[in-house]
Amino acid sequence: MDCSKNKYYRMKQKSFSLRSRLGSFRYAWFGLRRFFRDEHNARVHLAATIALAALIAWLKPTAGELATLLIVAGMVWLAELFNTAAEKTLDLVSKEQQSEIGYIKDLAAAAVLVASLTAAGVAAIILIPKMSHL
């Protein structure tokens, strides 16, 4: 498909601009601020992340272990952000309770649960043995 003939494609194309790229970071920071302000679960995950950071500082994992812990912690944050985005989007789609929308929200919440349990398991595998050697 020749995208140059599609008027919608042409309308969205803009030349690269450092100012516009920096502007996109501003929107991302605004989203994070609202996320922490409005979402209770964001604050719960923040508390867990702070606890993990304290354990990391205390137990001093290797570089590989640290990278693994950061990846799984980031996975939880990504799951929670996508879950929140899905919930907000579905709330815009319909204010009525619908079983299919409820199912989609449940799946998104399940993704957060799976990510959280995985992160907790990985953290336990890495950090518990370090505690026993103290």
Side-chain angles (χ1 to χ4, degrees):
M1 175 179 168
D2 183 7
C3 293
S4 64
K5 295 181 182 176
N6 183 321
K7 71 177 183 176
Y8 298 107
Y9 180 80
R10 284 193 317 251
M11 287 174 36
K12 291 188 175 212
Q13 291 299 305
K14 295 181 182 178
S15 61
F16 177 82
S17 152
L18 186 57
R19 173 180 267 175
S20 67
R21 292 304 97 217
L22 292 174
S24 67
F25 283 105
R26 187 175 57 236
Y27 295 128
W29 284 112
F30 176 73
L32 281 174
R33 280 195 314 271
R34 283 199 60 187
F35 177 64
F36 283 109
R37 185 190 71 205
D38 298 345
E39 300 300 322
H40 172 74
N41 284 341
R43 294 185 295 278
V44 170
H45 290 300
L46 181 60
T49 301
I50 291 168
L52 177 63
L55 284 170
I56 287 169
W58 178 42
L59 298 171
K60 301 189 182 356
T62 66
E65 292 168 336
L66 177 59
T68 302
L69 291 167
L70 292 175
I71 289 167
V72 295
M75 182 178 65
V76 173
W77 282 106
L78 288 172
E80 185 60 49
L81 285 162
F82 282 125
N83 176 51
T84 300
E87 286 182 356
K88 298 295 181 192
T89 301
L90 292 167
D91 288 345
L92 287 173
V93 169
S94 176
K95 300 292 181 197
E96 301 170 13
Q97 283 201 327
Q98 297 181 27
S99 64
E100 289 302 309
I101 287 178
Y103 177 57
I104 295 166
K105 287 182 173 186
D106 290 347
L107 287 174
V112 177
L113 178 63
V114 169
S116 298
L117 292 174
T118 301
V122 168
I125 290 167
I126 292 172
L127 299 176
I128 289 174
K130 292 185 177 303
M131 286 183 215
S132 66
H133 290 116
L134 294 178

Short mmCIF file of all heavy atoms in Angstrom, two decimals, residues 11 13 16-18 24 29-30 33 58-60 67 77 80 83-84 100-101 120-121 128 133:
data_model
loop_
_atom_site.label_atom_id
_atom_site.label_comp_id
_atom_site.label_asym_id
_atom_site.label_seq_id
_atom_site.Cartn_x
_atom_site.Cartn_y
_atom_site.Cartn_z
N MET A 11 -1.55 13.44 6.82
CA MET A 11 -1.86 14.46 7.81
C MET A 11 -1.05 14.24 9.09
O MET A 11 -0.67 15.19 9.75
CB MET A 11 -3.36 14.44 8.16
CG MET A 11 -4.23 14.99 7.06
SD MET A 11 -6.00 14.83 7.35
CE MET A 11 -6.19 15.07 9.06
N GLN A 13 1.96 12.83 9.37
CA GLN A 13 3.40 12.87 9.20
C GLN A 13 3.92 14.27 9.49
O GLN A 13 3.45 15.25 8.94
CB GLN A 13 3.77 12.47 7.77
CG GLN A 13 3.53 11.02 7.46
CD GLN A 13 4.37 10.14 8.36
OE1 GLN A 13 5.57 10.28 8.41
NE2 GLN A 13 3.71 9.24 9.06
N PHE A 16 10.87 15.41 11.99
CA PHE A 16 11.41 15.20 13.32
C PHE A 16 11.75 16.53 13.96
O PHE A 16 12.30 17.42 13.34
CB PHE A 16 12.67 14.34 13.26
CG PHE A 16 13.32 14.16 14.59
CD1 PHE A 16 12.84 13.20 15.46
CD2 PHE A 16 14.36 14.98 15.00
CE1 PHE A 16 13.43 13.02 16.71
CE2 PHE A 16 14.95 14.81 16.23
CZ PHE A 16 14.47 13.84 17.10
N SER A 17 11.40 16.64 15.23
CA SER A 17 11.71 17.85 15.97
C SER A 17 12.07 17.44 17.39
O SER A 17 11.33 16.70 18.04
CB SER A 17 10.49 18.78 15.98
OG SER A 17 10.47 19.59 17.11
N LEU A 18 13.22 17.92 17.85
CA LEU A 18 13.63 17.63 19.21
C LEU A 18 12.62 18.18 20.20
O LEU A 18 12.29 17.54 21.19
CB LEU A 18 15.02 18.21 19.49
CG LEU A 18 15.64 17.86 20.83
CD1 LEU A 18 15.74 16.35 21.00
CD2 LEU A 18 17.00 18.50 20.96
N SER A 24 6.78 14.87 24.09
CA SER A 24 6.18 13.56 24.35
C SER A 24 6.60 13.04 25.73
O SER A 24 5.82 12.37 26.40
CB SER A 24 6.54 12.56 23.25
OG SER A 24 7.91 12.27 23.26
N TRP A 29 5.34 12.04 31.64
CA TRP A 29 5.46 12.42 33.05
C TRP A 29 4.12 12.85 33.62
O TRP A 29 3.81 12.53 34.77
CB TRP A 29 6.50 13.52 33.23
CG TRP A 29 7.90 13.00 33.13
CD1 TRP A 29 8.80 13.25 32.15
CD2 TRP A 29 8.54 12.11 34.05
NE1 TRP A 29 9.96 12.57 32.39
CE2 TRP A 29 9.84 11.86 33.56
CE3 TRP A 29 8.16 11.50 35.25
CZ2 TRP A 29 10.74 11.04 34.21
CZ3 TRP A 29 9.07 10.67 35.89
CH2 TRP A 29 10.33 10.45 35.37
N PHE A 30 3.33 13.58 32.81
CA PHE A 30 2.00 13.97 33.26
C PHE A 30 1.16 12.73 33.54
O PHE A 30 0.45 12.66 34.55
CB PHE A 30 1.33 14.85 32.18
CG PHE A 30 -0.09 15.21 32.52
CD1 PHE A 30 -0.36 16.14 33.51
CD2 PHE A 30 -1.14 14.63 31.85
CE1 PHE A 30 -1.67 16.48 33.83
CE2 PHE A 30 -2.45 14.96 32.15
CZ PHE A 30 -2.71 15.89 33.15
N ARG A 33 2.29 11.19 36.82
CA ARG A 33 1.81 11.97 37.98
C ARG A 33 0.34 11.67 38.26
O ARG A 33 -0.05 11.46 39.41
CB ARG A 33 2.01 13.47 37.73
CG ARG A 33 3.41 13.94 37.99
CD ARG A 33 3.52 15.46 38.11
NE ARG A 33 2.83 16.21 37.10
CZ ARG A 33 3.33 16.59 35.93
NH1 ARG A 33 4.57 16.27 35.62
NH2 ARG A 33 2.62 17.28 35.08
N TRP A 58 20.56 -3.32 51.00
CA TRP A 58 21.04 -4.08 52.16
C TRP A 58 21.78 -5.36 51.74
O TRP A 58 22.85 -5.67 52.25
CB TRP A 58 19.86 -4.41 53.07
CG TRP A 58 20.19 -5.23 54.27
CD1 TRP A 58 21.26 -5.11 55.12
CD2 TRP A 58 19.41 -6.32 54.78
NE1 TRP A 58 21.20 -6.04 56.12
CE2 TRP A 58 20.06 -6.81 55.94
CE3 TRP A 58 18.23 -6.93 54.38
CZ2 TRP A 58 19.57 -7.87 56.69
CZ3 TRP A 58 17.74 -7.98 55.13
CH2 TRP A 58 18.40 -8.44 56.27
N LEU A 59 21.20 -6.09 50.79
CA LEU A 59 21.72 -7.41 50.45
C LEU A 59 22.72 -7.41 49.29
O LEU A 59 23.37 -8.42 49.05
CB LEU A 59 20.56 -8.36 50.14
CG LEU A 59 19.61 -8.58 51.33
CD1 LEU A 59 18.37 -9.35 50.89
CD2 LEU A 59 20.33 -9.29 52.47
N LYS A 60 22.81 -6.31 48.58
CA LYS A 60 23.79 -6.12 47.51
C LYS A 60 23.87 -7.30 46.53
O LYS A 60 24.87 -8.03 46.48
CB LYS A 60 25.16 -5.83 48.10
CG LYS A 60 25.16 -4.58 48.97
CD LYS A 60 26.51 -4.16 49.38
CE LYS A 60 26.56 -2.96 50.27
NZ LYS A 60 25.38 -2.24 50.63
N ALA A 67 19.88 -6.85 37.70
CA ALA A 67 19.21 -6.68 36.41
C ALA A 67 17.91 -7.49 36.37
O ALA A 67 16.87 -7.00 35.92
CB ALA A 67 20.14 -7.09 35.27
N TRP A 77 5.22 -2.93 36.97
CA TRP A 77 4.79 -1.56 36.67
C TRP A 77 4.10 -1.48 35.31
O TRP A 77 3.07 -0.82 35.16
CB TRP A 77 5.98 -0.61 36.72
CG TRP A 77 6.36 -0.25 38.12
CD1 TRP A 77 7.45 -0.69 38.82
CD2 TRP A 77 5.63 0.58 39.02
NE1 TRP A 77 7.43 -0.16 40.08
CE2 TRP A 77 6.33 0.62 40.24
CE3 TRP A 77 4.44 1.31 38.89
CZ2 TRP A 77 5.89 1.36 41.33
CZ3 TRP A 77 4.00 2.05 39.98
CH2 TRP A 77 4.72 2.07 41.18
N GLU A 80 0.62 -2.96 35.51
CA GLU A 80 -0.31 -2.08 36.21
C GLU A 80 -0.68 -0.87 35.35
O GLU A 80 -1.85 -0.45 35.32
CB GLU A 80 0.27 -1.62 37.55
CG GLU A 80 -0.70 -0.81 38.38
CD GLU A 80 -1.97 -1.58 38.74
OE1 GLU A 80 -1.88 -2.72 39.20
OE2 GLU A 80 -3.07 -1.01 38.55
N ASN A 83 -3.03 -2.16 32.71
CA ASN A 83 -4.30 -2.49 33.35
C ASN A 83 -5.11 -1.21 33.56
O ASN A 83 -6.31 -1.17 33.25
CB ASN A 83 -4.06 -3.19 34.69
CG ASN A 83 -5.34 -3.46 35.44
OD1 ASN A 83 -6.28 -4.02 34.90
ND2 ASN A 83 -5.37 -3.06 36.69
N THR A 84 -4.47 -0.18 34.07
CA THR A 84 -5.16 1.08 34.31
C THR A 84 -5.64 1.69 33.00
O THR A 84 -6.78 2.18 32.91
CB THR A 84 -4.24 2.05 35.07
OG1 THR A 84 -3.87 1.46 36.31
CG2 THR A 84 -4.93 3.38 35.33
N GLU A 100 -18.83 -8.78 29.17
CA GLU A 100 -17.61 -8.85 28.35
C GLU A 100 -16.60 -7.79 28.79
O GLU A 100 -15.40 -8.05 28.82
CB GLU A 100 -17.93 -8.71 26.86
CG GLU A 100 -18.62 -9.93 26.29
CD GLU A 100 -17.80 -11.20 26.47
OE1 GLU A 100 -16.60 -11.22 26.11
OE2 GLU A 100 -18.36 -12.19 26.98
N ILE A 101 -17.08 -6.61 29.13
CA ILE A 101 -16.17 -5.56 29.62
C ILE A 101 -15.60 -5.98 30.97
O ILE A 101 -14.40 -5.82 31.24
CB ILE A 101 -16.88 -4.19 29.70
CG1 ILE A 101 -17.07 -3.65 28.28
CG2 ILE A 101 -16.09 -3.20 30.55
CD1 ILE A 101 -17.80 -2.32 28.20
N ALA A 120 7.58 -11.50 42.77
CA ALA A 120 7.79 -11.92 44.16
C ALA A 120 8.58 -13.23 44.20
O ALA A 120 9.48 -13.39 45.04
CB ALA A 120 6.45 -12.07 44.87
N GLY A 121 8.27 -14.16 43.31
CA GLY A 121 8.99 -15.42 43.26
C GLY A 121 10.45 -15.23 42.90
O GLY A 121 11.34 -15.81 43.53
N ILE A 128 16.25 -14.36 49.38
CA ILE A 128 16.17 -15.17 50.60
C ILE A 128 17.49 -15.87 50.91
O ILE A 128 17.95 -15.83 52.06
CB ILE A 128 14.97 -16.13 50.57
CG1 ILE A 128 13.68 -15.33 50.73
CG2 ILE A 128 15.09 -17.20 51.65
CD1 ILE A 128 12.40 -16.15 50.57
N HIS A 133 22.61 -15.94 54.74
CA HIS A 133 24.07 -15.88 54.89
C HIS A 133 24.52 -14.71 55.76
O HIS A 133 25.71 -14.47 55.90
CB HIS A 133 24.75 -15.80 53.51
CG HIS A 133 24.63 -17.05 52.74
ND1 HIS A 133 23.94 -17.13 51.55
CD2 HIS A 133 25.09 -18.31 52.98
CE1 HIS A 133 23.99 -18.38 51.10
NE2 HIS A 133 24.69 -19.10 51.95
#
